Amino acid sequence: MSNRDLSRQDLYESVKQLVETENQKTLHFTQHKLYSLFSIAFQYILFRSTKEPGAYIIRLQNSNLVDKLCHKSKDASTRRFIQSLSLPRKLKYDKSTFYLDFFHFGTWNLTSEIPPEKIKGTIIVKRDEKNPLEEMKTNEEGEIEVNPFPEDYYLSSLCEASPCNIFISHEEKVNGFDEVRFPFIKEEAPRAVDGVKINEDIKWDDKE
């Protein structure tokens, strides 16, 4: 266990908080500790998969996030699972199957074939404000075509089918999603400036 991993108590209490959450259809994690939030989300989805077998989808903004989650997620079992899932992006666990894809349409070949009724849960991770589907292409006549899908299609396309969706995106507001916050994660504080003392509990070199 890394000395920067979540304590078992914090992880247990956070998963328990999600289990007891009344609306599990659309949950939004907005706090600033990405790797802690992902560990909580993943451990909850892993627990859920043992109770409700089916297909579980992890959709990340881009492939660069995979390596970061493999090394920086805040518990060992999450790191190992994501490493195993990274290739070939499909992994059987007990009676459920986990899938990994990205906001790019070209990675949806596996997940697009899942019957909607089989999807039981998703985790979607967005790291910045850029519209991930804002890609332009050129048609045969050389004209620029704008992507015809809504900006949030990477999210809404999953939420339509899945009974449980966890969206991790820092401080972004999303209509229809209930914000979830975990008490053990301290609020972000502004960086220190000359003559100002910041909270001693904040460790900037450990900021996620």
Side-chain angles (χ1 to χ4, degrees):
M1 174 180 175
S2 167
N3 60 0
R4 292 184 177 182
D5 279 358
L6 292 175
S7 70
R8 289 184 179 181
Q9 186 64 25
D10 283 340
L11 191 54
Y12 170 80
E13 291 294 339
S14 299
V15 171
K16 182 172 180 286
Q17 178 180 334
L18 295 177
V19 171
E20 295 173 349
T21 298
E22 184 174 347
N23 170 32
Q24 298 181 356
K25 170 72 173 177
T26 46
L27 304 176
H28 188 186
F29 295 2
T30 61
Q31 289 167 292
H32 63 287
K33 295 291 188 180
L34 168 62
Y35 304 113
S36 295
L37 295 175
F38 184 80
S39 282
I40 294 167
F42 180 75
Q43 289 301 319
Y44 169 66
I45 287 294
L46 196 65
F47 168 78
R48 185 182 177 96
S49 74
T50 65
K51 306 298 181 183
E52 297 184 43
Y56 289 82
I57 300 170
I58 297 174
R59 177 168 290 174
L60 308 179
Q61 183 160 351
N62 53 53
S63 57
N64 294 334
L65 260 179
V66 178
D67 186 62
K68 293 181 182 296
L69 293 172
C70 287
H71 292 91
K72 295 185 177 183
S73 294
K74 295 301 179 178
D75 73 290
S77 65
T78 297
R79 292 192 292 268
R80 288 194 299 267
F81 198 105
I82 297 303
Q83 282 183 323
S84 299
L85 179 61
S86 60
L87 285 174
R89 296 194 285 115
K90 179 180 178 181
L91 185 64
K92 187 80 173 176
Y93 178 77
D94 198 16
K95 296 180 180 178
S96 294
T97 303
F98 282 74
Y99 297 83
L100 173 67
D101 67 17
F102 309 104
F103 290 7
H104 191 281
F105 295 125
T107 68
W108 295 7
N109 56 323
L110 289 176
T111 49
S112 63
E113 297 175 355
I114 305 172
E117 67 275 10
K118 296 288 186 181
I119 301 175
K120 300 299 180 182
T122 73
I123 301 173
I124 305 100
V125 184
K126 184 173 183 286
R127 292 201 70 180
D128 55 48
E129 295 298 322
K130 179 182 178 183
N131 173 11
L133 295 183
E134 196 174 48
E135 299 178 358
M136 295 193 298
K137 58 183 179 179
T138 303
N139 61 20
E140 294 179 357
E141 287 74 34
E143 299 172 336
I144 293 177
E145 296 180 341
V146 178
N147 195 317
F149 295 97
E151 290 186 5
D152 67 345
Y153 192 66
Y154 63 90
L155 180 65
S156 61
S157 59
L158 292 179
C159 294
E160 291 173 359
S162 174
C164 176
N165 303 278
I166 298 176
F167 183 42
I168 302 176
S169 180
H170 181 42
E171 296 296 349
E172 184 176 355
K173 299 299 181 184
V174 183
N175 291 333
F177 275 69
D178 290 347
E179 184 178 0
V180 177
R181 302 179 76 85
F182 301 96
F184 77 91
I185 298 179
K186 297 182 182 299
E187 296 298 319
E188 270 189 305
R191 288 185 178 275
V193 295
D194 290 344
V196 178
K197 182 180 180 181
I198 65 173
N199 188 329
E200 293 179 354
D201 290 331
I202 301 294
K203 298 180 181 178
W204 293 112
D205 59 349
D206 188 32
K207 185 182 179 189
E208 298 178 338

